[in-house]
Amino acid sequence: MTYQEGAERFYDLFSAKDDAPFYLELAHRHGEKALELGVGTARLAIQLARSGVETWGIDNSPHMLRAAERNLAREPPEVRRLVRLVKADVRDFDLNERFGLVYFPSYSFDHLLTGEDQASALRCIRRHLAPGGVYAFDLAHIPKLKEDSGWFVQRKPLNRERTVVRLGFKRIYPEKRLMSVDLWYEVYEDGRMLERYHEGGEVYIHTPDSIRRLLEENGFEIEAWYGGHDRQPFNNTSEMMVIVARRSRNREID
Ligand SMILES: C[S@@+](CC[C@H](N)C(=O)[O-])C[C@H]1O[C@@H](n2cnc3c(N)ncnc32)[C@H](O)[C@@H]1O
C-alpha cells in the first residue's frame, strides 16, 4: 500500500476500532515493553504509553511517522517519554532491543505480499521477542475467496465547516490471493471539493491454514486464536483472525 502525503490526516477519522484493550492487556501481561509494527499515526502506541507501557513503533512511511510525531507532541511529557518512533521496514529491522509484546495491528501483516517478505518479517519479529514474549496480530478472514469488486463511500465531519468523503474501490484476485484497494479522500466545504488525495495498493489474503503454516515454518507456535479483539472464539463465519503466537523451540531457526 502507498500512503500519499496528506492523506494521513484523515486516517484516524475512518479507523475507529475497539482493538486497544486487547493489546493493552497483552502489553501489561508481558512486561510493559511493546513494539508496534507499522505504527502509523501512533493511534495505539499513545494509548499503550498513557497506561504506562514503554512503546516503540516502527514504520517505513515518513509522513505516517510525521503524523505520529504530531499526535505525540500533544501528549504530556510522561507519555511522550515512553514512546520511541523509528523509521524502519518490518521486513528487515534490528532495534537491538527485546520486547514482551510485538504487535502488528489493523490487518497490516497483509501488506506483505510475498512469502519471502512475510518470512523475513517473522524472522525479525522472532529476534525481537523477550523470553516468554508474544507476537499478536490480526488479519481479515475471507472464508470463500471469489472474484469480486465493489465501491464504497464513507463520510466524516473534519470540523464545523468541512467534510471528508472517502471513496473506496476493492477488487479480489482469487488466483493470486490478492485484493487491490484504492481510496480517495476528498475534502468538501459548502459542496465544493477543496482537496483530494489517493492511496492504494494490494494486500495479501491469508487463510487460517496458510497463516498457521507460515508461523510454524518461521519458528512460532500459536498460543491463542480468536475471531475478534473481544476474544470471541474463531469460527468459519468470523470476519477476522486475531492471533497470539510465541517463539517455538525450533533449533533449525535458532
Ligand atoms: C493500516 S496502517 C496501521 C496503522 C496503525 N498500526 C494503526 O493500527 O492505526 C499500516 C501501517 O503500516 C505501515 N507499513 C506498511 N508496510 C510497512 C513495512 N514494510 N514496514 C514498515 N511499515 C509498514 C504503513 O506505512 C502504515 O502506517
Side-chain angles (χ1 to χ4, degrees):
M1 292 280 287
T2 56
Y3 290 85
Q4 191 194 339
E5 181 152 22
E8 76 282 354
R9 285 189 290 143
F10 314 124
Y11 183 83
D12 288 343
L13 274 183
F14 292 93
S15 62
K17 295 194 181 85
D18 55 3
D19 52 358
F22 177 76
Y23 294 111
L24 273 167
E25 194 276 326
L26 284 175
H28 286 293
R29 183 143 44 106
H30 290 282
E32 308 203 332
K33 185 166 171 182
L35 167 64
E36 180 168 343
L37 307 175
V39 68
T41 58
R43 175 185 70 86
L44 278 168
I46 288 174
Q47 294 189 66
L48 265 64
R50 282 182 188 153
S51 81
V53 177
E54 178 185 343
T55 309
W56 291 49
I58 67 169
D59 206 293
N60 65 353
S61 157
H63 43 271
M64 279 301 203
L65 285 170
R66 274 198 296 277
E69 274 154 16
R70 279 197 299 274
N71 289 338
L72 193 57
R74 287 195 277 272
E75 294 295 314
E78 61 275 19
V79 173
R80 291 206 302 268
R81 242 194 327 268
L82 287 175
V83 179
R84 182 100 181 251
L85 301 168
V86 179
K87 184 172 182 305
D89 196 301
V90 300
R91 294 166 294 183
D92 181 18
F93 65 96
D94 184 2
L95 302 173
N96 201 23
E97 290 282 335
R98 297 284 177 275
F99 301 88
L101 169 67
V102 178
Y103 64 110
F104 205 175
S106 299
Y107 300 176
S108 306
F109 187 77
D110 67 11
H111 288 32
L112 307 177
L113 301 181
T114 66
E116 209 173 292
D117 284 353
Q118 293 156 8
S120 50
L122 287 173
R123 282 194 296 271
C124 290
I125 293 165
R126 196 171 183 279
R127 278 201 303 273
H128 285 78
L129 281 178
V134 292
Y135 168 47
F137 64 113
D138 53 18
L139 289 170
H141 177 231
I142 305 177
K144 284 202 179 74
L145 211 52
K146 56 179 182 357
E147 214 170 294
D148 196 13
S149 62
W151 286 91
F152 58 90
V153 183
Q154 296 159 301
R155 199 165 51 117
K156 297 275 178 188
L158 182 62
N159 51 39
R160 290 228 316 246
E161 290 82 31
R162 295 184 179 180
T163 301
V164 184
V165 176
R166 181 162 87 161
L167 293 165
F169 182 74
K170 291 183 178 184
R171 183 187 291 277
I172 293 177
Y173 301 91
E175 70 290 352
K176 296 192 215 155
R177 303 208 63 81
L178 292 179
M179 176 163 69
S180 70
V181 184
D182 282 284
L183 297 170
W184 291 267
Y185 294 90
E186 298 175 346
V187 182
Y188 287 88
E189 187 175 311
D190 291 333
R192 267 190 328 118
M193 191 173 74
L194 304 176
E195 296 171 70
R196 189 174 209 232
Y197 301 89
H198 171 259
E199 63 186 37
E202 290 176 322
V203 295
Y204 188 86
I205 305 169
H206 292 271
T207 63
D209 281 348
S210 72
I211 194 70
R212 190 182 294 279
R213 209 170 34 246
L214 189 67
L215 285 166
E216 285 170 5
E217 284 169 4
N218 289 284
F220 286 89
E221 59 191 37
I222 289 154
E223 185 177 284
W225 189 297
Y226 305 108
H229 296 105
D230 57 359
R231 297 177 188 263
Q232 60 184 266
F234 176 78
N235 63 40
N236 268 346
T237 62
S238 302
E239 285 179 4
M240 65 173 85
M241 307 185 257
V242 180
I243 301 166
V244 183
R246 57 171 66 245
R247 288 167 67 115
S248 59
R249 278 188 212 92
N250 186 330
R251 294 195 185 283
E252 278 171 33
I253 288 173
D254 292 328

mmCIF file of all heavy atoms in Angstrom, residues 1 3 11-12 15 17 19 36-44 58-61 64 88-91 103-108 111-112, ligand 1:
data_model
loop_
_atom_site.group_PDB
_atom_site.id
_atom_site.type_symbol
_atom_site.label_atom_id
_atom_site.label_comp_id
_atom_site.label_asym_id
_atom_site.label_seq_id
_atom_site.Cartn_x
_atom_site.Cartn_y
_atom_site.Cartn_z
ATOM 1 N N MET A 1 0.853 -1.195 0.000
ATOM 2 C CA MET A 1 0.000 0.000 0.000
ATOM 3 C C MET A 1 0.887 1.244 0.000
ATOM 4 O O MET A 1 1.865 1.305 0.714
ATOM 5 C CB MET A 1 -0.853 0.039 1.262
ATOM 6 C CG MET A 1 -1.899 -1.031 1.360
ATOM 7 S SD MET A 1 -3.367 -0.676 0.394
ATOM 8 C CE MET A 1 -4.143 0.617 1.346
ATOM 9 N N TYR A 3 0.868 5.205 0.999
ATOM 10 C CA TYR A 3 0.102 6.163 1.793
ATOM 11 C C TYR A 3 0.546 7.555 1.343
ATOM 12 O O TYR A 3 1.630 8.001 1.675
ATOM 13 C CB TYR A 3 0.373 5.947 3.290
ATOM 14 C CG TYR A 3 -0.225 4.659 3.801
ATOM 15 C CD1 TYR A 3 0.463 3.464 3.691
ATOM 16 C CD2 TYR A 3 -1.491 4.642 4.372
ATOM 17 C CE1 TYR A 3 -0.094 2.276 4.144
ATOM 18 C CE2 TYR A 3 -2.053 3.465 4.829
ATOM 19 C CZ TYR A 3 -1.350 2.291 4.712
ATOM 20 O OH TYR A 3 -1.901 1.118 5.161
ATOM 21 N N TYR A 11 -6.569 9.474 8.352
ATOM 22 C CA TYR A 11 -6.510 8.046 8.672
ATOM 23 C C TYR A 11 -7.328 7.719 9.929
ATOM 24 O O TYR A 11 -8.169 6.818 9.924
ATOM 25 C CB TYR A 11 -5.044 7.609 8.837
ATOM 26 C CG TYR A 11 -4.916 6.135 9.090
ATOM 27 C CD1 TYR A 11 -4.924 5.228 8.031
ATOM 28 C CD2 TYR A 11 -4.849 5.644 10.380
ATOM 29 C CE1 TYR A 11 -4.860 3.876 8.267
ATOM 30 C CE2 TYR A 11 -4.782 4.286 10.624
ATOM 31 C CZ TYR A 11 -4.787 3.416 9.568
ATOM 32 O OH TYR A 11 -4.729 2.071 9.803
ATOM 33 N N ASP A 12 -7.104 8.485 11.011
ATOM 34 C CA ASP A 12 -7.761 8.143 12.274
ATOM 35 C C ASP A 12 -9.275 8.396 12.243
ATOM 36 O O ASP A 12 -10.027 7.762 12.968
ATOM 37 C CB ASP A 12 -7.130 8.912 13.445
ATOM 38 C CG ASP A 12 -5.742 8.369 13.758
ATOM 39 O OD1 ASP A 12 -5.437 7.238 13.315
ATOM 40 O OD2 ASP A 12 -4.967 9.074 14.419
ATOM 41 N N SER A 15 -10.760 5.159 11.140
ATOM 42 C CA SER A 15 -10.231 3.890 11.645
ATOM 43 C C SER A 15 -10.625 3.665 13.099
ATOM 44 O O SER A 15 -9.830 3.127 13.865
ATOM 45 C CB SER A 15 -8.714 3.827 11.475
ATOM 46 O OG SER A 15 -8.127 4.852 12.228
ATOM 47 N N LYS A 17 -11.603 1.847 16.035
ATOM 48 C CA LYS A 17 -11.523 0.393 16.275
ATOM 49 C C LYS A 17 -11.615 0.130 17.760
ATOM 50 O O LYS A 17 -11.351 1.008 18.572
ATOM 51 C CB LYS A 17 -10.178 -0.141 15.763
ATOM 52 C CG LYS A 17 -10.011 -0.041 14.278
ATOM 53 C CD LYS A 17 -8.830 -0.882 13.799
ATOM 54 C CE LYS A 17 -8.672 -0.745 12.304
ATOM 55 N NZ LYS A 17 -7.885 0.424 11.933
ATOM 56 N N ASP A 19 -9.728 -2.245 19.257
ATOM 57 C CA ASP A 19 -8.629 -3.194 19.483
ATOM 58 C C ASP A 19 -7.716 -2.814 20.654
ATOM 59 O O ASP A 19 -6.935 -3.639 21.122
ATOM 60 C CB ASP A 19 -7.794 -3.373 18.200
ATOM 61 C CG ASP A 19 -7.320 -2.050 17.595
ATOM 62 O OD1 ASP A 19 -7.672 -0.992 18.147
ATOM 63 O OD2 ASP A 19 -6.601 -2.081 16.580
ATOM 64 N N GLU A 36 5.287 -1.752 18.297
ATOM 65 C CA GLU A 36 4.226 -1.783 17.275
ATOM 66 C C GLU A 36 4.862 -1.727 15.892
ATOM 67 O O GLU A 36 5.646 -0.829 15.581
ATOM 68 C CB GLU A 36 3.246 -0.611 17.452
ATOM 69 C CG GLU A 36 2.138 -0.655 16.383
ATOM 70 C CD GLU A 36 0.971 0.280 16.656
ATOM 71 O OE1 GLU A 36 0.817 0.747 17.804
ATOM 72 O OE2 GLU A 36 0.209 0.542 15.705
ATOM 73 N N LEU A 37 4.485 -2.670 15.048
ATOM 74 C CA LEU A 37 4.955 -2.690 13.661
ATOM 75 C C LEU A 37 3.952 -1.912 12.814
ATOM 76 O O LEU A 37 2.748 -2.092 12.967
ATOM 77 C CB LEU A 37 5.064 -4.133 13.175
ATOM 78 C CG LEU A 37 5.910 -5.053 14.072
ATOM 79 C CD1 LEU A 37 5.852 -6.485 13.569
ATOM 80 C CD2 LEU A 37 7.347 -4.578 14.148
ATOM 81 N N GLY A 38 4.440 -1.044 11.931
ATOM 82 C CA GLY A 38 3.539 -0.210 11.130
ATOM 83 C C GLY A 38 2.746 0.702 12.043
ATOM 84 O O GLY A 38 1.510 0.696 12.030
ATOM 85 N N VAL A 39 3.461 1.518 12.818
ATOM 86 C CA VAL A 39 2.829 2.280 13.920
ATOM 87 C C VAL A 39 1.848 3.346 13.425
ATOM 88 O O VAL A 39 0.973 3.793 14.164
ATOM 89 C CB VAL A 39 3.921 2.892 14.837
ATOM 90 C CG1 VAL A 39 4.699 3.991 14.111
ATOM 91 C CG2 VAL A 39 3.336 3.436 16.128
ATOM 92 N N GLY A 40 1.968 3.729 12.139
ATOM 93 C CA GLY A 40 1.011 4.685 11.568
ATOM 94 C C GLY A 40 1.004 6.004 12.316
ATOM 95 O O GLY A 40 2.053 6.607 12.578
ATOM 96 N N THR A 41 -0.177 6.443 12.700
ATOM 97 C CA THR A 41 -0.329 7.743 13.375
ATOM 98 C C THR A 41 -0.100 7.644 14.890
ATOM 99 O O THR A 41 -0.377 8.588 15.615
ATOM 100 C CB THR A 41 -1.757 8.263 13.153
ATOM 101 O OG1 THR A 41 -2.650 7.264 13.677
ATOM 102 C CG2 THR A 41 -2.065 8.488 11.686
ATOM 103 N N ALA A 42 0.338 6.478 15.351
ATOM 104 C CA ALA A 42 0.552 6.202 16.795
ATOM 105 C C ALA A 42 -0.770 6.136 17.571
ATOM 106 O O ALA A 42 -0.796 6.287 18.786
ATOM 107 C CB ALA A 42 1.511 7.196 17.444
ATOM 108 N N ARG A 43 -1.867 5.885 16.838
ATOM 109 C CA ARG A 43 -3.188 5.723 17.454
ATOM 110 C C ARG A 43 -3.125 4.798 18.670
ATOM 111 O O ARG A 43 -3.592 5.145 19.758
ATOM 112 C CB ARG A 43 -4.128 5.137 16.380
ATOM 113 C CG ARG A 43 -5.513 4.773 16.810
ATOM 114 C CD ARG A 43 -6.268 4.083 15.659
ATOM 115 N NE ARG A 43 -5.768 2.769 15.354
ATOM 116 C CZ ARG A 43 -6.147 1.639 15.955
ATOM 117 N NH1 ARG A 43 -7.054 1.683 16.900
ATOM 118 N NH2 ARG A 43 -5.641 0.462 15.614
ATOM 119 N N LEU A 44 -2.510 3.608 18.499
ATOM 120 C CA LEU A 44 -2.454 2.634 19.594
ATOM 121 C C LEU A 44 -1.250 2.863 20.506
ATOM 122 O O LEU A 44 -1.360 2.708 21.722
ATOM 123 C CB LEU A 44 -2.370 1.213 19.019
ATOM 124 C CG LEU A 44 -3.680 0.581 18.578
ATOM 125 C CD1 LEU A 44 -3.408 -0.681 17.772
ATOM 126 C CD2 LEU A 44 -4.550 0.257 19.787
ATOM 127 N N ILE A 58 7.652 1.235 14.762
ATOM 128 C CA ILE A 58 8.395 1.422 13.514
ATOM 129 C C ILE A 58 7.411 1.561 12.353
ATOM 130 O O ILE A 58 6.300 1.025 12.376
ATOM 131 C CB ILE A 58 9.409 0.286 13.233
ATOM 132 C CG1 ILE A 58 8.705 -1.054 12.959
ATOM 133 C CG2 ILE A 58 10.414 0.144 14.357
ATOM 134 C CD1 ILE A 58 9.657 -2.118 12.422
ATOM 135 N N ASP A 59 7.837 2.305 11.351
ATOM 136 C CA ASP A 59 7.029 2.482 10.146
ATOM 137 C C ASP A 59 7.997 2.875 9.031
ATOM 138 O O ASP A 59 9.007 3.533 9.288
ATOM 139 C CB ASP A 59 5.968 3.575 10.349
ATOM 140 C CG ASP A 59 4.753 3.390 9.447
ATOM 141 O OD1 ASP A 59 4.906 3.531 8.208
ATOM 142 O OD2 ASP A 59 3.662 3.104 9.972
ATOM 143 N N ASN A 60 7.691 2.483 7.798
ATOM 144 C CA ASN A 60 8.591 2.883 6.708
ATOM 145 C C ASN A 60 8.070 4.101 5.948
ATOM 146 O O ASN A 60 8.664 4.505 4.966
ATOM 147 C CB ASN A 60 8.859 1.707 5.746
ATOM 148 C CG ASN A 60 7.612 1.263 5.015
ATOM 149 O OD1 ASN A 60 6.515 1.723 5.308
ATOM 150 N ND2 ASN A 60 7.760 0.348 4.071
ATOM 151 N N SER A 61 6.951 4.683 6.422
ATOM 152 C CA SER A 61 6.404 5.850 5.728
ATOM 153 C C SER A 61 6.759 7.115 6.508
ATOM 154 O O SER A 61 6.304 7.302 7.638
ATOM 155 C CB SER A 61 4.881 5.709 5.622
ATOM 156 O OG SER A 61 4.296 6.983 5.452
ATOM 157 N N MET A 64 3.645 9.104 7.630
ATOM 158 C CA MET A 64 2.916 8.482 8.750
ATOM 159 C C MET A 64 3.674 8.782 10.051
ATOM 160 O O MET A 64 3.061 9.093 11.080
ATOM 161 C CB MET A 64 2.798 6.971 8.554
ATOM 162 C CG MET A 64 1.677 6.574 7.621
ATOM 163 S SD MET A 64 0.071 7.153 8.226
ATOM 164 C CE MET A 64 -1.040 6.046 7.437
ATOM 165 N N ALA A 88 11.742 2.368 9.961
ATOM 166 C CA ALA A 88 12.319 1.061 9.629
ATOM 167 C C ALA A 88 11.278 0.238 8.891
ATOM 168 O O ALA A 88 10.075 0.495 8.992
ATOM 169 C CB ALA A 88 12.739 0.330 10.908
ATOM 170 N N ASP A 89 11.770 -0.750 8.158
ATOM 171 C CA ASP A 89 10.898 -1.638 7.400
ATOM 172 C C ASP A 89 10.699 -2.934 8.191
ATOM 173 O O ASP A 89 11.685 -3.506 8.663
ATOM 174 C CB ASP A 89 11.545 -1.931 6.034
ATOM 175 C CG ASP A 89 10.549 -2.515 5.064
ATOM 176 O OD1 ASP A 89 9.978 -3.588 5.374
ATOM 177 O OD2 ASP A 89 10.312 -1.901 4.018
ATOM 178 N N VAL A 90 9.469 -3.373 8.302
ATOM 179 C CA VAL A 90 9.196 -4.576 9.106
ATOM 180 C C VAL A 90 9.863 -5.827 8.527
ATOM 181 O O VAL A 90 10.032 -6.812 9.222
ATOM 182 C CB VAL A 90 7.681 -4.853 9.289
ATOM 183 C CG1 VAL A 90 6.993 -3.698 9.979
ATOM 184 C CG2 VAL A 90 7.009 -5.155 7.966
ATOM 185 N N ARG A 91 10.261 -5.740 7.255
ATOM 186 C CA ARG A 91 10.878 -6.921 6.641
ATOM 187 C C ARG A 91 12.350 -7.058 6.977
ATOM 188 O O ARG A 91 12.967 -8.078 6.725
ATOM 189 C CB ARG A 91 10.712 -6.865 5.111
ATOM 190 C CG ARG A 91 9.271 -6.979 4.695
ATOM 191 C CD ARG A 91 9.070 -6.583 3.267
ATOM 192 N NE ARG A 91 9.349 -5.170 3.056
ATOM 193 C CZ ARG A 91 9.198 -4.539 1.908
ATOM 194 N NH1 ARG A 91 8.786 -5.198 0.848
ATOM 195 N NH2 ARG A 91 9.457 -3.250 1.803
ATOM 196 N N TYR A 103 3.452 -6.281 18.296
ATOM 197 C CA TYR A 103 2.103 -6.377 17.717
ATOM 198 C C TYR A 103 2.047 -5.657 16.382
ATOM 199 O O TYR A 103 2.763 -4.695 16.143
ATOM 200 C CB TYR A 103 1.046 -5.882 18.704
ATOM 201 C CG TYR A 103 1.114 -4.419 19.085
ATOM 202 C CD1 TYR A 103 0.145 -3.518 18.650
ATOM 203 C CD2 TYR A 103 2.129 -3.928 19.906
ATOM 204 C CE1 TYR A 103 0.187 -2.181 18.999
ATOM 205 C CE2 TYR A 103 2.183 -2.581 20.255
ATOM 206 C CZ TYR A 103 1.214 -1.723 19.803
ATOM 207 O OH TYR A 103 1.277 -0.395 20.142
ATOM 208 N N PHE A 104 1.198 -6.204 15.486
ATOM 209 C CA PHE A 104 1.095 -5.696 14.103
ATOM 210 C C PHE A 104 -0.409 -5.556 13.831
ATOM 211 O O PHE A 104 -1.045 -6.463 13.281
ATOM 212 C CB PHE A 104 1.756 -6.724 13.176
ATOM 213 C CG PHE A 104 2.279 -6.170 11.875
ATOM 214 C CD1 PHE A 104 2.992 -6.990 11.006
ATOM 215 C CD2 PHE A 104 2.084 -4.852 11.508
ATOM 216 C CE1 PHE A 104 3.489 -6.520 9.800
ATOM 217 C CE2 PHE A 104 2.579 -4.358 10.308
ATOM 218 C CZ PHE A 104 3.285 -5.201 9.451
ATOM 219 N N PRO A 105 -1.017 -4.424 14.255
ATOM 220 C CA PRO A 105 -2.487 -4.320 14.228
ATOM 221 C C PRO A 105 -3.044 -3.858 12.883
ATOM 222 O O PRO A 105 -2.298 -3.575 11.942
ATOM 223 C CB PRO A 105 -2.753 -3.254 15.298
ATOM 224 C CG PRO A 105 -1.522 -2.415 15.328
ATOM 225 C CD PRO A 105 -0.368 -3.264 14.847
ATOM 226 N N SER A 106 -4.349 -3.777 12.825
ATOM 227 C CA SER A 106 -5.088 -3.196 11.682
ATOM 228 C C SER A 106 -4.811 -3.926 10.378
ATOM 229 O O SER A 106 -4.642 -3.282 9.330
ATOM 230 C CB SER A 106 -4.760 -1.703 11.533
ATOM 231 O OG SER A 106 -5.129 -1.006 12.685
ATOM 232 N N TYR A 107 -4.789 -5.244 10.424
ATOM 233 C CA TYR A 107 -4.626 -6.079 9.228
ATOM 234 C C TYR A 107 -3.377 -5.686 8.430
ATOM 235 O O TYR A 107 -3.362 -5.786 7.202
ATOM 236 C CB TYR A 107 -5.839 -5.945 8.284
ATOM 237 C CG TYR A 107 -7.188 -6.344 8.839
ATOM 238 C CD1 TYR A 107 -8.331 -6.178 8.066
ATOM 239 C CD2 TYR A 107 -7.330 -6.908 10.088
ATOM 240 C CE1 TYR A 107 -9.584 -6.559 8.535
ATOM 241 C CE2 TYR A 107 -8.583 -7.280 10.572
ATOM 242 C CZ TYR A 107 -9.699 -7.099 9.794
ATOM 243 O OH TYR A 107 -10.936 -7.471 10.267
ATOM 244 N N SER A 108 -2.325 -5.251 9.112
ATOM 245 C CA SER A 108 -1.186 -4.707 8.361
ATOM 246 C C SER A 108 -0.200 -5.782 7.909
ATOM 247 O O SER A 108 0.571 -5.553 6.968
ATOM 248 C CB SER A 108 -0.453 -3.654 9.189
ATOM 249 O OG SER A 108 -1.373 -2.674 9.629
ATOM 250 N N HIS A 111 -0.042 -6.423 4.311
ATOM 251 C CA HIS A 111 0.657 -5.535 3.369
ATOM 252 C C HIS A 111 1.891 -6.229 2.784
ATOM 253 O O HIS A 111 2.476 -5.735 1.837
ATOM 254 C CB HIS A 111 1.129 -4.256 4.060
ATOM 255 C CG HIS A 111 0.019 -3.297 4.410
ATOM 256 N ND1 HIS A 111 -1.241 -3.705 4.752
ATOM 257 C CD2 HIS A 111 0.001 -1.944 4.478
ATOM 258 C CE1 HIS A 111 -1.992 -2.639 5.016
ATOM 259 N NE2 HIS A 111 -1.258 -1.563 4.859
ATOM 260 N N LEU A 112 2.298 -7.343 3.406
ATOM 261 C CA LEU A 112 3.475 -8.076 2.921
ATOM 262 C C LEU A 112 2.978 -9.091 1.904
ATOM 263 O O LEU A 112 2.248 -10.020 2.248
ATOM 264 C CB LEU A 112 4.201 -8.741 4.092
ATOM 265 C CG LEU A 112 4.552 -7.783 5.242
ATOM 266 C CD1 LEU A 112 5.203 -8.538 6.388
ATOM 267 C CD2 LEU A 112 5.460 -6.650 4.752
HETATM 268 C C1 LIG B 1 -3.190 0.062 8.204
HETATM 269 S S1 LIG B 1 -1.938 1.145 8.789
HETATM 270 C C2 LIG B 1 -1.966 0.783 10.536
HETATM 271 C C3 LIG B 1 -1.500 1.930 11.396
HETATM 272 C C4 LIG B 1 -1.545 1.680 12.904
HETATM 273 N N1 LIG B 1 -0.803 0.491 13.284
HETATM 274 C C5 LIG B 1 -2.954 1.552 13.426
HETATM 275 O O1 LIG B 1 -3.353 0.439 13.792
HETATM 276 O O2 LIG B 1 -3.672 2.555 13.469
HETATM 277 C C6 LIG B 1 -0.496 0.278 8.228
HETATM 278 C C7 LIG B 1 0.814 0.961 8.536
HETATM 279 O O3 LIG B 1 1.882 0.054 8.223
HETATM 280 C C8 LIG B 1 2.919 0.752 7.580
HETATM 281 N N2 LIG B 1 3.688 -0.205 6.771
HETATM 282 C C9 LIG B 1 3.253 -0.886 5.676
HETATM 283 N N3 LIG B 1 4.234 -1.669 5.194
HETATM 284 C C10 LIG B 1 5.309 -1.487 6.011
HETATM 285 C C11 LIG B 1 6.629 -2.014 6.018
HETATM 286 N N4 LIG B 1 7.041 -2.896 5.096
HETATM 287 N N5 LIG B 1 7.474 -1.606 7.000
HETATM 288 C C12 LIG B 1 7.078 -0.696 7.932
HETATM 289 N N6 LIG B 1 5.828 -0.157 7.966
HETATM 290 C C13 LIG B 1 4.956 -0.549 7.018
HETATM 291 C C14 LIG B 1 2.213 1.828 6.778
HETATM 292 O O4 LIG B 1 3.066 2.907 6.446
HETATM 293 C C15 LIG B 1 1.084 2.226 7.726
HETATM 294 O O5 LIG B 1 1.455 3.277 8.577
#
